[in-house]
Amino acid sequence: MGVIAGDFPAVVVDRDADKKQSVSLARLTETDLMEGDVTVRVTHSSVNYKDGLAVTGKLPVVRRWPMVPGVDFTGEVVESRSPDFAVGDKVILNGWGVGEVHLGGWSRYARVKSDWLIRLPDGLTGADAMALGTAGYTAMLSLMAIEKHGLSPADGPAVITGAAGGVGSVAVMLFARAGYQVVATTGRPEEADYLKSLGAAEIVERSELSGPAKPLAKERWATGVDNVGSTTLANVLSMTKADGAIAACGNAGGMELPSSVAPFILRGVSLLGINSVSVPRAKREIAWTRLAAEIDRGKLAAMTHTVPLDEAIDRGRAIADGRIRGRVVIEVG
Ligand code: NDP
């Protein structure tokens, strides 16, 4: 007899013999869970762009069927064969293929490898951790990469593209708190007041950056975070000041990068790649500890919407359509 009594709810993405995808709120049992040395009772998960892709099948992020979406979760350990974690420990997981090749967080229970887990930092509740989620963690990794590159607010403004989304909203907060003059670009000008409340100094309409990019354009910012890719990132690069650096973390506008080498070879601009999925534990812990210390809880609450598990599928479809503002937490347990 296992540690989980009876069945429990989970969102399941499956496909039939013709590869036609379906998604439903189903019930699983302990035997459905995958290999791992730690079992977690999930209290909160969240809605990330990748979960939207999993739910809609818009891009092939799911590579094991059936799959439970949810690239991040927080909860309490209920069973452990690892010396690193004991029953009752509060943990966070994000990345490592969870929600893609390993059953994810949109489920009352998850069984995972202990190497993928970190402890919930002091001062952060499970709900706050998932209000930040993979999106907030990625925004922090971007800030850390820019700091490591040697840039600071004295070098010039920071641009954040796709600013009203999850990564964007947290990035606006973090960069403003770090002292940057934040230029927020958005396709939703009606969210200007929201973005200013998070710390944006200037709002730029998305269309200004969505046409074909010139090799070099007027220098507007020293650094920033791009969530959009495609022509947006190409324009951002062409407008970056000499010796500046842009953290590339997203593809909400497309995977391609129709740029030229001009910003790199004529202005010494750097493109910093951000991959949140497989980051070593020590760096993960630094990022989460910094988030716990640097995030304004009032602003975080204002950008967060909480839903029960049975609304996760609908919210997943909404994020794939670019219709989510800020972050959505899923209250699972
Ligand atoms: P969201 O959907 O919350 O945010 C994306 C934002 O991008 C939207 O809110 C919108 O902002 C903008 N956007 C959407 N579609 C388009 C479009 N066609 N053209 C231009 N802008 C568009 O997603 P997340 O914040 O969760 O993720 C943002 C990106 O970062 C995604 O591509 C995601 O895959 C990626 N990501 C990468 C990670 C990594 O490890 N590198 C980790 C986490 C996320 P607005 O309305 O303000 O214009």
Side-chain angles (χ1 to χ4, degrees), residues 44 51 71-72 140 154 162 179 181 185 214 265 284 290:
H44 302 85
D51 304 318
V71 300
D72 50 27
M140 176 53 85
Q181 187 190 339
T185 84
K214 292 179 186 164
I265 64 172
R284 239 163 233 276
R290 279 192 61 175

Side-chain angles (χ1 to χ4, degrees), residues 34-298:
M34 293 173 71
E35 273 301 291
D37 53 353
V38 177
T39 307
V40 179
R41 186 175 59 78
V42 176
T43 57
H44 302 85
S45 184
S46 79
V47 180
N48 288 280
Y49 190 77
K50 222 179 227 177
D51 304 318
L53 298 178
V55 164
T56 58
K58 205 168 153 184
L59 280 179
V61 295
V62 174
R63 301 183 305 285
R64 186 263 190 195
W65 307 87
M67 178 48 57
V68 172
V71 300
D72 50 27
F73 64 78
T74 181
E76 194 173 306
V77 173
V78 292
E79 186 179 41
S80 174
R81 284 183 282 113
S82 159
D84 294 336
F85 295 97
V87 170
D89 282 352
K90 294 201 163 60
V91 290
I92 303 179
L93 187 144
N94 64 280
W96 300 111
V98 168
E100 301 178 73
V101 292
H102 192 101
L103 300 187
W106 292 8
S107 168
R108 180 73 54 79
Y109 289 94
R111 182 175 293 134
V112 296
K113 289 187 182 161
S114 51
D115 288 351
W116 299 344
L117 293 167
I118 64 160
R119 281 196 169 64
L120 190 65
D122 287 344
L124 203 62
T125 65
D128 282 351
M130 284 301 107
L132 293 160
T134 300
Y137 169 78
T138 303
M140 176 53 85
L141 290 182
S142 301
L143 178 60
M144 286 164 61
I146 286 163
E147 289 171 349
K148 190 174 172 202
H149 193 75
L151 291 169
S152 75
D155 295 301
V159 63
I160 311 291
T161 65
V167 178
S169 294
V170 181
V172 169
M173 274 200 278
L174 283 175
F175 279 73
R177 184 189 178 280
Y180 283 97
Q181 187 190 339
V182 172
V183 181
T185 84
T186 183
R188 293 179 273 180
E190 67 275 16
E191 300 296 357
D193 286 344
Y194 162 74
L195 291 167
K196 285 183 179 163
S197 76
L198 298 180
E202 189 187 337
I203 310 297
V204 168
E205 165 61 42
R206 176 197 291 180
S207 56
E208 270 191 51
L209 299 178
S210 54
K214 292 179 186 164
L216 293 176
K218 184 168 175 280
E219 296 178 30
R220 295 174 77 172
W221 35 72
T223 189
V225 180
D226 176 61
N227 292 300
V228 176
S230 189
T231 47
T232 301
L233 177 54
N235 277 291
V236 163
L237 289 168
S238 75
M239 296 172 188
T240 302
K241 290 182 172 196
D243 300 321
I246 300 297
C249 66
N251 61 338
M255 285 293 260
E256 66 284 0
L257 177 53
S259 182
S260 83
V261 297
F264 311 119
I265 64 172
L266 298 177
R267 285 192 182 149
V269 168
S270 296
L271 188 54
L272 310 175
I274 305 299
N275 167 22
S276 69
V277 174
S278 48
V279 176
R281 186 185 275 169
K283 187 170 173 187
R284 239 163 233 276
E285 286 173 344
I286 291 171
W288 278 106
T289 303
R290 279 192 61 175
L291 283 168
E294 294 176 29
I295 284 292
D296 179 315
R297 300 299 192 278

